[in-house]
Amino acid sequence: MISKRILVGLTGQTGAGKTSVSDYLRKKGYPVINADAVAREVVAKGSQCLLDLVLAFGVDILQVDGTLNRRKLGDMVFADHSKRKTLNRITFPYIQEEIFARVEELQQQGTSILFLDAPTLFESGTHKRCDRIVSVIAPPDIRLDRILRRDHITAEQGTARMGAQHPDGFYTSRSHHVIVNDGGLPELFAQVDQVLIELNQLVSGEGA
């Protein structure tokens, strides 16, 4: 039987709609730790993580005020697999340390189902510490349209970002629950509700 307090990893491809799922979960009263938000915090001006990044990628990744130029670094690593690996090797330990400090705090408060919204859940190895994994996927054309409207980038940049991620099969083969976001929000939220039913059954001991 799974613990009465479970950590659920929420991941998926860029543009698939993971943010919409996270927002809906919060509205339903479920705590969600946002790994991207944590990642922004650990590279704050003057942090050790930011210093490590500058040593690896150069001072050009900094804004004039000493903060990280996230878009410049992002363009750099999306175009180069080895640089992306270097970025992950540097940042993942800092991010994980902060994430699991928050997980422990929330679970000590009695949170039964806690979600971790993490786009690099598998790449960071964080999935190994999750009790269940939920992946959100969507067709490539829909994802590209969402990315272009969301990030105000070119189609070429959007395609490059999508190309740097895993295909559907990678997520479906590694997840307990898969949400296919190829329709409207009502259809998406209906799938989330079904996942929540199954997770609550696990917590109550009714599920396998």
Side-chain angles (χ1 to χ4, degrees):
M1 182 185 299
I2 290 180
S3 167
K4 294 295 184 182
R5 297 173 185 172
I6 64 174
L7 175 62
V8 183
L10 174 64
T11 192
Q13 305 148 320
T14 182
K18 185 167 54 58
T19 298
S20 296
V21 172
S22 289
D23 291 343
Y24 183 69
L25 289 170
R26 291 189 183 93
K27 289 179 182 178
K28 298 278 285 187
Y30 293 89
V32 181
I33 297 174
N34 187 309
D36 276 346
V38 174
R40 287 191 289 271
E41 293 173 17
V42 301
V43 296
K45 181 179 179 180
S47 67
Q48 184 60 49
C49 185
L50 182 57
L51 175 59
D52 291 346
L53 289 175
V54 170
L55 290 174
F57 296 102
V59 295
D60 287 346
I61 65 169
L62 295 179
Q63 308 264 27
V64 292
D65 63 355
T67 58
L68 178 64
N69 186 328
R70 295 179 59 84
R71 173 153 294 192
K72 187 163 189 176
L73 179 61
D75 290 341
M76 187 184 299
V77 300
F78 273 119
D80 189 316
H81 179 67
S82 64
K83 288 182 179 179
R84 192 160 65 250
K85 287 181 66 176
T86 299
L87 172 66
N88 293 341
R89 175 179 54 80
I90 293 171
T91 58
F92 283 164
Y94 291 103
I95 296 169
Q96 287 187 328
E97 181 180 6
E98 178 60 28
I99 282 174
F100 286 104
R102 298 184 187 188
V103 168
E104 183 177 358
E105 180 181 356
L106 285 166
Q107 290 187 332
Q108 286 180 347
Q109 293 173 4
T111 298
S112 58
I113 301 177
L114 170 61
F115 288 88
L116 171 58
D117 178 343
T120 55
L121 184 75
F122 296 110
E123 294 84 348
S124 64
T126 310
H127 67 288
K128 297 175 183 177
R129 299 180 66 175
C130 295
D131 300 293
R132 306 293 283 187
I133 296 172
V134 178
S135 286
V136 185
I137 61 175
D141 57 327
I142 294 178
R143 291 170 51 213
L144 180 59
D145 180 64
R146 290 171 181 160
I147 293 168
L148 299 186
R149 287 188 286 108
R150 180 191 69 196
D151 298 339
H152 308 291
I153 58 177
T154 66
E156 183 179 2
Q157 290 173 315
T159 301
R161 292 190 180 185
M162 290 172 58
Q165 294 193 320
H166 301 290
D168 291 356
F170 177 90
Y171 295 96
T172 57
S173 64
R174 291 167 170 79
S175 304
H176 300 91
H177 313 271
V178 177
I179 295 172
V180 182
N181 184 19
D182 58 358
L185 289 178
E187 292 83 3
L188 174 64
F189 296 155
Q191 292 182 71
V192 178
D193 286 339
Q194 180 57 43
V195 170
L196 289 173
I197 289 172
E198 295 172 16
L199 292 175
N200 278 286
Q201 287 176 339
L202 288 169
V203 169
S204 67
E206 297 176 16

